[in-house]
Amino acid sequence: MVRTILVVGAGKSTSYLLDYLLKKSTEEKLRLIIGDLRPENIPADIASHPNCDVIQLDILNDDARKKAIEVSSLVISMLPPSMHIKIAQDCILYKKHLVTASYVSKEIEALDPEAKKNGLVFMNEIGLDPGIDHMSAMEVIDRIRDKGGKMLLFESFTGGLVAPENDSNLWSYKFTWNPRNVVVAAQGGAAKFIQEGTYKYIPYQKIFRRTELVEIEGYGDFEVYPNRDSLKYREAYGLEDALTLFRGTMRRVGFSKAWHIFVMLGMTDDTYAVENSEGMSYREFVNLFLPYSPTDSVELKLRHYLKIDQDDIRWGKLLELNLFDDSKKIPLKNATPAQMLQYILEDSWTLNPDEKDMIVMYHKFGYELDGKKKQLDANMVVLGENQTYTAMAKTVGLPVAMAALQILNKKIVTPGVQIPIAKEVYGPILEELKSYGIHFNEYQVPYLGYNPDSIGN
């Protein structure tokens, strides 16, 4: 009997997902329906596959959406997170399983009793981060606990970066996923985490100045800035008694200090529109945030305002983005500062067709076993192939596709709204990911606690 998988939204992170399901479609008796607002953008080799149908689908069209979900066995939603809820409600109505790579929203969480009652698996957070981070962390944490160990410390960092051979700008950064998420990162409240048993809070305007360094063998040094809520998974991971719990985002060293300039100027603000944004030059955009002077240039005002010397390495980074160019214009109407900054950055930070991205993930596990404190560090590096087959698409899309197949094949059977922290979920998927070059290197290192150089906490 043929099983139908409906994939809603075929954007940047679906290349590997679609390839995986289509390659297995004949042996697994799968029919793939791809529903997208712009079906003409779907590559011809996918659209013409004998086991694939492509349909034009606007998920705000209730009839069209319901019709597509009703004929499916399972739905994969790769839409922006706010759009999942309509699909999820229809999945309850028509009794269909659901898989997404997005964080569990309160609205989706509220569907848990109905999903359980109908025996439906609603698998969320099964991409990269969230996703591979959950699975790889729980695999090690469960292994430590099975030996009788007690968790003391857990730190987890992830970064979507540019591959070393294409690291060709002063920021060592290019967009490998949704640029908007990069521009508004860390906003919406203080970063909160726990260090050596003490709660810590960092306000948004300080986040990019509170970084720590990590090294990945063969790839050099990286910096980490804290995520907004590191405590979110304390209960899910069973780490209520851990002394340190910290999650962060990885960048190349020096990125955060330069990004802090945009934060201090107010360029990342997404709460108000600039009335005359359309047609504004990059130079005029910068000048919006600086004091008036009848004599000083925009460059001089900026350097004085933020105390940046001319030989400061950050100055070169600003010049590289053409921020003071009077001929480059922003075409956006009534745009927020964040939207205007995003436009300027995309002008410089877009991957060329033959350029490769890189995913890095780093975990630290501190634990006590047989009366001794120990530490295990684990890291993963995945390199992309090109602008389409990116490391981001690979690490987001493959776990989604694998989970969908495991659910259809009744290997994942526990019903309800969930994230991939159970052994029945992470075991087979992590094992299969190894065959695609997605695996962790582990190192036993001395346990040093959070910050061995400091006294007190």
Side-chain angles (χ1 to χ4, degrees):
M1 184 183 153
V2 174
R3 288 92 54 86
T4 302
I5 297 177
L6 172 65
V7 179
V8 188
K12 280 182 179 173
S13 50
T14 57
S15 52
Y16 282 93
L17 184 158
L18 299 174
D19 275 7
Y20 176 93
L21 292 173
L22 288 173
K23 274 177 187 156
K24 292 189 174 284
S25 59
T26 301
E27 61 173 291
E28 292 284 354
K29 296 186 173 61
L30 301 176
R31 182 106 201 134
L32 206 60
I33 300 174
I34 303 171
D36 198 84
L37 201 54
R38 295 181 185 83
E40 66 276 6
N41 293 342
I42 290 161
D45 59 327
I46 287 173
S48 62
H49 193 286
N51 296 333
C52 180
D53 293 315
V54 175
I55 60 171
Q56 202 275 339
L57 182 61
D58 176 357
I59 69 124
L60 299 178
N61 180 328
D62 291 348
D63 290 342
R65 186 187 68 245
K66 287 177 189 291
K67 188 177 166 190
I69 291 171
E70 190 176 8
V71 299
S72 308
S73 315
L74 177 146
V75 180
I76 295 173
S77 178
M78 298 300 283
L79 293 169
S82 61
M83 295 181 171
H84 294 320
I85 186 62
K86 285 181 180 292
I87 290 167
Q89 287 165 340
D90 289 345
C91 285
I92 294 287
L93 179 65
Y94 296 112
K95 298 182 173 46
K96 311 296 179 184
H97 301 295
L98 175 66
V99 181
T100 87
S102 302
Y103 288 106
V104 178
S105 66
K106 286 188 173 68
E107 293 83 6
I108 299 276
E109 181 64 49
L111 299 174
D112 182 53
E114 285 291 310
K116 282 177 175 158
K117 192 170 88 178
N118 290 294
L120 301 174
V121 178
F122 274 28
M123 183 64 67
N124 303 270
E125 304 191 17
I126 185 127
L128 167 68
D129 175 4
I132 291 176
D133 58 345
H134 293 328
M135 295 189 284
S136 54
M138 286 311 301
E139 195 272 327
V140 175
I141 290 168
D142 283 345
R143 201 194 316 158
I144 289 167
R145 286 188 181 132
D146 288 347
K147 290 178 186 166
K150 178 192 172 192
M151 289 297 299
L152 302 172
L153 171 149
F154 176 63
E155 297 179 51
S156 178
F157 321 126
T158 307
L161 297 152
V162 63
E165 63 261 45
N166 299 124
D167 187 345
S168 56
N169 65 40
L170 293 174
W171 294 76
S172 295
Y173 189 79
K174 290 176 187 176
F175 290 125
T176 59
W177 63 309
N178 188 342
R180 176 177 164 75
N181 290 358
V182 176
V183 173
V184 300
Q187 294 185 38
K192 53 182 178 178
F193 49 100
I194 189 166
Q195 278 177 356
E196 297 297 311
T198 302
Y199 287 99
K200 299 289 185 183
Y201 298 87
I202 306 177
Y204 172 61
Q205 67 270 23
K206 293 289 185 186
I207 281 175
F208 296 97
R209 295 306 298 122
R210 290 271 290 274
T211 57
E212 67 170 76
L213 297 181
V214 295
E215 184 189 355
I216 293 185
E217 199 176 324
Y219 293 91
D221 293 330
F222 298 83
E223 65 185 22
V224 178
Y225 66 81
N227 288 358
R228 212 168 74 211
D229 187 1
S230 290
L231 307 182
K232 189 175 176 183
Y233 297 105
R234 187 159 47 169
E235 192 179 335
Y237 288 14
L239 295 174
E240 291 93 339
D241 298 329
L243 298 174
T244 295
L245 187 54
F246 179 81
R247 287 164 57 90
T249 299
M250 294 174 80
R251 293 284 182 261
R252 283 294 188 183
V253 177
F255 177 94
S256 298
K257 190 175 183 183
W259 187 266
H260 185 66
I261 292 172
F262 299 146
V263 175
M264 296 311 291
L265 285 171
M267 288 179 174
T268 60
D269 197 322
D270 202 40
T271 61
Y272 67 92
V274 175
E275 280 78 1
N276 57 340
S277 63
E278 192 177 16
M280 185 178 286
S281 72
Y282 290 10
R283 186 182 186 85
E284 288 169 326
F285 172 66
V286 174
N287 200 32
L288 286 177
F289 306 99
L290 298 172
Y292 171 76
S293 167
T295 53
D296 291 349
S297 67
V298 175
E299 291 89 337
L300 197 58
K301 288 194 295 183
L302 179 60
R303 287 214 302 271
H304 282 324
Y305 189 50
L306 294 178
K307 299 180 175 62
I308 299 173
D309 295 326
Q310 203 161 352
D311 60 354
D312 189 317
I313 193 167
R314 293 174 297 164
W315 186 245
K317 290 178 179 172
L318 298 180
L319 293 175
E320 187 181 69
L321 295 171
N322 302 306
L323 278 172
F324 305 104
D325 195 323
D326 224 359
S327 63
K328 285 186 168 283
K329 309 287 185 185
I330 298 167
L332 310 174
K333 224 179 228 175
N334 292 320
T336 66
Q339 289 168 335
M340 296 168 80
L341 177 61
Q342 179 183 327
Y343 180 85
I344 291 169
L345 296 177
E346 285 187 81
D347 194 11
S348 292
W349 287 356
T350 298
L351 283 177
N352 293 325
D354 58 343
E355 289 189 322
K356 300 174 181 179
D357 69 327
M358 171 173 74
I359 296 295
V360 283
M361 189 177 284
Y362 197 113
H363 298 312
K364 296 181 184 181
F365 305 90
Y367 59 100
E368 194 172 313
L369 181 63
D370 301 328
K372 291 182 182 152
K373 290 180 176 172
K374 300 174 180 253
Q375 186 170 317
L376 178 76
D377 288 6
N379 66 51
M380 171 191 87
V381 178
V382 180
L383 296 170
E385 294 173 45
N386 52 44
Q387 191 188 46
T388 302
Y389 286 89
T390 61
M392 184 66 79
K394 188 177 194 178
T395 51
V396 171
L398 284 178
V400 169
M402 289 171 185
L405 198 51
Q406 295 273 351
I407 292 165
L408 286 179
N409 288 340
K410 297 186 167 48
K411 301 279 175 60
I412 296 174
V413 294
T414 306
V417 173
Q418 58 193 282
I419 63 174
I421 53 173
K423 208 169 276 191
E424 76 163 0
V425 181
Y426 71 66
I429 292 176
L430 286 176
E431 193 56 42
E432 192 177 354
L433 284 172
K434 287 178 188 171
S435 64
Y436 289 86
I438 300 172
H439 63 90
F440 283 79
N441 297 309
E442 296 186 356
Y443 308 89
Q444 202 75 44
V445 300
Y447 177 78
L448 298 172
Y450 185 84
N451 188 352
D453 301 324
S454 71
I455 297 168
N457 55 13

